[in-house]
Amino acid sequence: MDRLPTRGTLERRNIPVSDSACALCEVGRETVDHIMTGCGIAAVVWEHISRWCKVPPIFGFSVRDLLELHKTTKLGVVEKEAFHGIITIACWRLWKAKNEKVFDGKEVIVKEIIGDIKAYGFLWFKYRSKHKTLAWSIWCKFAFM
């Protein structure tokens, strides 16, 4: 809905920003779609998630594409639910990484982002679904049993 305060959005609303470049990759113009789909950091995250979840490479042009991706995968009902959760968590984690860099000066470490996606995904899936006995070792090996 274009409500997140990216540099591009702020600039478009006539709020002065010193630089409109993406805080994560410092290359493209910072928009929500760039942070989630066009940024080099996001591309590495999506590549890892696609390998981990055993789905075709993840490409999207917008956040909407990402959030609807689970509908077109050849996964079972439970796996689609988990995959949708993983994508949602990944979007949140990319946004969080951007904010940590902007407001705290924290370096962007892709391994940390991916680790958080796996950890939060595990907790979400285990405690918000019927799979209470899911083991961390199985989740890390591959998301879809």
Side-chain angles (χ1 to χ4, degrees):
M1 294 176 69
D2 203 26
R3 292 185 182 169
L4 292 174
T6 63
R7 292 173 176 178
T9 305
L10 294 172
E11 197 174 58
R12 199 178 70 247
R13 292 179 183 158
N14 296 320
I15 297 170
V17 292
S18 59
D19 184 9
S20 65
C22 173
L24 292 174
C25 68
E26 300 173 359
V27 176
R29 185 169 182 263
E30 187 181 277
T31 65
V32 172
D33 288 334
H34 173 80
I35 292 167
M36 305 300 169
T37 64
C39 179
I41 300 292
V44 174
V45 169
W46 297 125
E47 177 188 351
H48 182 84
I49 289 172
S50 68
R51 281 187 282 124
W52 174 50
C53 295
K54 297 174 179 63
V55 297
I58 298 172
F59 295 107
F61 297 101
S62 69
V63 174
R64 178 166 295 187
D65 290 347
L66 294 173
L67 295 177
E68 294 185 2
L69 189 62
H70 69 286
K71 296 176 184 176
T72 60
T73 60
K74 295 181 181 189
L75 299 171
V77 175
V78 173
E79 291 84 1
K80 281 185 182 192
E81 180 185 2
F83 187 56
H84 185 253
I86 289 166
I87 289 174
T88 303
I89 291 165
C91 288
W92 166 78
R93 190 55 185 88
L94 285 165
W95 181 255
K96 185 175 185 264
K98 191 255 338 166
N99 284 339
E100 288 172 343
K101 184 170 182 185
V102 170
F103 298 113
D104 301 332
K106 185 177 179 195
E107 180 184 357
V108 177
I109 301 170
V110 175
K111 277 186 166 186
E112 271 185 28
I113 295 171
I114 292 165
D116 283 352
I117 293 166
K118 285 185 177 185
Y120 288 117
F122 172 74
L123 293 171
W124 168 80
F125 190 71
K126 181 171 178 157
Y127 296 108
R128 304 276 301 174
S129 72
K130 300 175 208 168
H131 304 281
K132 307 285 186 231
T133 60
L134 179 65
W136 173 249
S137 59
I138 300 296
W139 179 261
C140 284
K141 218 179 214 178
F142 45 92
F144 307 121
M145 295 58 72

